[in-house]
Amino acid sequence: MCLFPFLQPRHGSPIRAFYDEWLAMALGAAALVFVSLAQKSQFRQLPSLSVALAVFTVGLFLRAWLHEAAYFQSALLWGLYAAFAASLVLVGSELAASFSVERTCDLLARCVLVGAVLNSTCGVLQIMGIPPSLDSFIAHLNGARAIGNVGQANLYANYLALGEASLVYLYIRGSLSLGKSLAIGSSLVLGASLAASRTSALYGAIFVLLAIPFGMRQHAHGHSPLRVTISLAVAILAAQILIPDAMNAFGYNVESGFARRDINGAEELLADKAANLRLLAWKTAAQLFARSPWFGVGPDEFAGAAYRMGLPPAMAGGEIWTAAHNLPLQLLAETGVFAAGLIVFALLAWFYKSTTLFFRTPTPGGWWILACASVEVMHALLEYPLSYAHFLAVTALIMGVGTSGGISIRPLAVRSAAISFAGIGAVLLALYLKDYVRFDLASPVSGSRSLAPDAEVGRDRESLAELSRGLLAPRTELWLFAAFPVDENHLSQKISVGQRVLRLWPAPDVVARQSVFVALQGRDAEASELLEQALRTYGYESQSLANAITAAPEKARVVLGPALMKR
C-alpha cells in the first residue's frame, strides 16, 4: 500500500489515477482483514481520529440520501474515502500496539524508501530518455517536469519527500550505512529537482524544524538528526536551483521551480502565477463558504458554484479549477462549517498530541511519523493530495501508527465491523473495476472521437448511460453529454444531464453544448444567458465557442447568434 500503488505506470483517460487508487483501496481492505484476524490484534481502543472520520462518513452518507445535489454519488464516494481513511488509522494504531511503533515504522519506511528510489529513477529516465527495454514500465512525460510513475509532478515530489524522510529515519536508526545513504539521498534529491516543485524545499525545512528537539546531540547509532536534516535541506534547495539549469545547459528540457512566469491582469494578487492562482482559489472558496456556511455547496461542486458566482479572469484561463487547493477551505466550501470543523479539529488534536509527546521525548520513530504527516498536510494546504486514495492511505496509516489513546471498545464488535466493512469494500471494488473497464472502452465515443460503426457508437452511448446510474456517474455523464448528437431528439434528457454536468465541470465546450440544446428546446432567453456568461467568463475561448454555435442546427444559430455578436 505504501509501495505498489505508486509504481504502476498507466495514467491515461478517462480517470488518470484510477488504477493507483483502486490498488491502494484493495490493499487497504486486505490489510484491514489481516489485522482483524491476527491473533496479536487486541482492538481495545478506537483512535479519536478514526471516530471523527467515521462521524464525517455518516454525515456524508446522510447528505447523499437527504440533500439535493447534482450527484448523490459524490457525497457517497467522499464518505467511502473517509471510511477508508478511518479504517487505516485503526490498522496503523493496531500494528503499532501489536509490534511496537519502531518496528512498524521500520517496515513502512523501508517500503516508502524503495518506492521513492524507483520513482526517482523513473523521473530521471523520463528527462534523459527511457530505454526501449523499460518503455512499458515507466510513465511517459507530457511536459518538462518529471512525474515518475506517480503520474503528476507535485504528487511525485510529495512521494519523494516521504522517501527522503524515510531515508533520514533509517540512517539515524543505523539501518543504512553512510555510503548507501549518500547514494540514495543523491538519487532522491536529483529526482525531486526535476519535478520543478518548490514545495520540495519546504519539505526540507519541515524536516529540520522537527529535528530541533534532538539538539546537536548524537543518537544511539552515532548520528545527529539535526545535522542530517540540515544537510538534506541544503542539498534539496541547492538541487532545486542548480540542477534544472545544468540539465538545460546540456540540451535537456527541464522546467525550473524557481523560475515561474509572471502574469498580468486585473485580478493579479502576486506576480508569481502559481501563487496568484492559489490565492484566487482560496478567495473563491471563502466566498462560496460565506454563501453556504452550514452545509456547503456540495461535494465536487466547487467548480460549478464558482462559475455561477463569477470566476476571476485569471482562474478562467486554461483549466477548470475543481478544488480550492487548500483542504480546510475546500471542506468549508463544499461541506460546510460543521463537517469541516470536525475534520480540522481532529487533525489539529492529533498534531497537538503527537508533537507534545515528541517534544517531551524525541525518538526517531516519532520524528518520522510527524515528518511524513507534516509533508502530506502541508501539501494539502497548497493542493489536494488527500483526494487521491493512495496518498490518503499512506497518510492515514502513518498517522494511525502515531496515534495514542482513544475510546475504549469491545474487541469482538470492532473485529466484526472491520471484517464486514472490508467485505463490502471488496464487493464495491470489484463492481467499481468492472464499471471502469466498461467506461474506458466506451469513452472514445465522447466528442465523436470513435471511428467505430454507428451501431457500436450507439452501444457505447448506451453503456455510458447505464454507468451513469452507478458510482462513476459524476465522471461518465460528462463523457455521455459530450457524446450526445447535437439534434432535437431527446432534448429533455440531454438538458437534464447537462444541468448536472455543469455543476461539476462548467467547461466552455459543455456550456456551449448546453446552450445549443436549450435553444433547440425553445428556451431562447435561457440559452442566450448561458452563452453570454460563457463568453464573459471564457473570453479567451470566444472563437471556439463561436465555432460550436456555428456548427449547431439553424434553429440554435438563430437564437444564439445575437449573443455572439455582443462579444
Side-chain angles (χ1 to χ4, degrees), residues 209-257:
L209 289 174
L210 290 174
I212 289 176
F214 288 107
M216 298 304 293
R217 67 181 185 275
Q218 295 183 341
H219 193 253
H221 295 278
H223 310 305
S224 167
L226 184 56
R227 290 175 181 170
V228 172
T229 54
I230 290 175
S231 300
L232 176 62
V234 170
I236 291 172
L237 182 59
Q240 290 288 320
I241 296 172
L242 299 176
I243 288 179
D245 289 340
M247 296 290 287
N248 287 323
F250 281 100
Y252 297 102
N253 182 24
V254 181
E255 184 178 335
S256 173

Side-chain angles (χ1 to χ4, degrees), residues 267-313:
E267 296 291 336
E268 181 178 336
L269 301 176
L270 292 176
D272 181 277
K273 180 179 180 180
N276 178 66
L277 287 172
R278 279 170 175 77
L279 288 177
L280 288 175
W282 298 350
K283 179 182 176 182
T284 300
Q287 292 171 335
L288 292 177
F289 169 64
R291 292 186 172 208
S292 303
W294 305 118
F295 300 104
V297 299
D300 292 339
E301 296 193 34
F302 176 86
Y307 175 76
R308 293 191 300 273
M309 183 178 67
L311 280 176

Side-chain angles (χ1 to χ4, degrees), residues 330-392:
Q330 184 80 22
L331 292 173
L332 285 170
E334 293 194 324
T335 65
V337 65
F338 299 117
L342 175 67
I343 296 301
V344 171
F345 178 79
L347 289 173
L348 289 175
W350 184 92
F351 271 99
Y352 175 77
K353 191 170 186 177
S354 298
T355 52
T356 301
L357 179 63
F358 172 69
F359 275 68
R360 188 184 303 131
T361 310
T363 63
W367 179 89
W368 181 75
I369 291 167
L370 276 173
C372 292
S374 298
V375 164
E376 296 306 323
V377 171
M378 180 57 68
H379 195 190
L381 294 176
L382 300 171
E383 289 195 346
Y384 44 97
L386 301 183
S387 296
Y388 297 95
H390 45 322
F391 281 91
L392 179 64

Side-chain angles (χ1 to χ4, degrees), residues 174 184 203 262 366 443 445 452 481:
I184 295 171
Y203 300 147
D262 292 346
S443 61
V445 73
F481 185 69

Side-chain angles (χ1 to χ4, degrees), residues 146-157:
I147 59 174
N149 274 4
V150 177
Q152 199 271 347
N154 292 327
L155 293 176
Y156 164 71

Side-chain angles (χ1 to χ4, degrees), residues 488-553:
E488 297 188 48
N489 296 324
H490 310 292
L491 283 176
S492 295
Q493 177 198 6
K494 294 172 181 177
I495 292 171
S496 178
V497 171
Q499 288 172 339
R500 291 192 294 271
V501 170
L502 279 173
R503 291 176 65 174
L504 270 66
W505 190 259
D509 58 327
V510 174
V511 182
R513 181 173 282 252
Q514 179 73 348
S515 66
V516 169
F517 289 144
V518 173
L520 291 175
Q521 200 177 49
R523 293 149 59 180
D524 298 1
E526 183 181 346
S528 297
E529 184 180 347
L530 277 171
L531 183 58
E532 288 171 4
Q533 184 176 7
L535 290 167
R536 288 194 302 269
T537 305
Y538 304 115
Y540 70 98
E541 286 282 4
S542 58
Q543 188 57 53
S544 64
L545 289 168
N547 292 340
I549 303 307
T550 303

